[in-house]
Amino acid sequence: MELDEEILNCTRCQLSEKRTNAVPGAGDENANIMFVGEAPGRNEDEQGLPFVGRAGSVLDELLESIDFSREDVYITNVVKCRPSKNRDPTLKEIKACSPYLDQQIKEIDPEVLVPLGRFATEYLLEKYNLGNEKISRVHGKRFQVNRLSGSLSIIPMFHPAVVAYDPSKKDVLLEDFKELRDRG
Ligand code: URA
């Protein structure tokens, strides 16, 4: 994607000063399903690829549980550079970076968008005027948006990283992922 080059060279916010690599996203640019995480962590910053650390192993397992692999989907984040010490991204950083996500959604034009965790869920529900419900209330729920290019489903899920400190969320994620099964 041409946009990747722009993201790799981006200096729109201060996160660019400390990054090793920006992380545009990876996967099938014609995918029907697009996952949107929060921001790169240390491993992602080092490798320039999304979800390659511990949360990434959980994501792989979840994909596998519905017979998908990374090559079948597109994976990106709301913020493309790592916030130091894995702090939350600021509103300013999200504002500076989100036009890239908007453009990726336009170009990839998925049928299903899956925000992973609070930040991506808040961003996407607001973008499509779907309110600002808490992830604990809306995970696994399908929101339908009618666009000129066809209908779009948004299905928020918990962030795979939660499994590390709340293992019971794994079953919730496995159950929610079943919603995606026939949509690849
Ligand atoms: N967490 C995220 O939200 N995104 C990544 O790419 C990795 C971990």
Side-chain angles (χ1 to χ4, degrees), residues 53-110:
R54 209 155 54 160
S57 313
V58 178
L59 182 57
D60 283 334
E61 220 181 299
L62 292 163
L63 286 168
E64 215 171 284
S65 76
I66 52 166
D67 294 323
F68 284 0
S69 72
R70 278 175 188 248
E71 290 73 44
D72 300 321
V73 300
Y74 193 83
I75 304 173
T76 187
N77 286 297
V78 177
V79 168
K80 313 298 192 206
C81 294
R82 182 194 181 203
S84 57
K85 296 181 192 140
N86 295 344
R87 65 162 169 77
D88 290 344
T90 64
L91 203 57
K92 203 169 153 194
E93 289 157 358
I94 293 172
K95 270 200 183 139
C97 205
S98 54
Y100 292 130
L101 175 60
D102 293 344
Q103 189 60 28
Q104 287 173 315
I105 295 171
K106 224 183 209 169
E107 290 185 22
I108 293 166
D109 194 25

Side-chain angles (χ1 to χ4, degrees), residues 134-150:
K134 279 207 152 118
I135 179 90
S136 51
R137 284 181 59 91
V138 295
H139 71 88
K141 180 173 159 186
R142 178 190 311 273
F143 292 86
Q144 205 71 31
V145 178
N146 292 314
R147 305 167 300 175
L148 282 177
S149 58

Side-chain angles (χ1 to χ4, degrees), residues 107-122:
E107 290 185 22
I108 293 166
D109 194 25
E111 286 171 18
V112 185
L113 267 172
V114 183
L116 297 168
R118 175 161 74 91
F119 285 91
T121 298
E122 276 177 9

Side-chain angles (χ1 to χ4, degrees), residues 23 37-41 44 49-52 55 76-77 116 159:
V23 182
E38 180 179 320
E44 290 77 18
L49 291 168
F51 283 92
V52 287
T76 187
N77 286 297
L116 297 168
H159 195 288

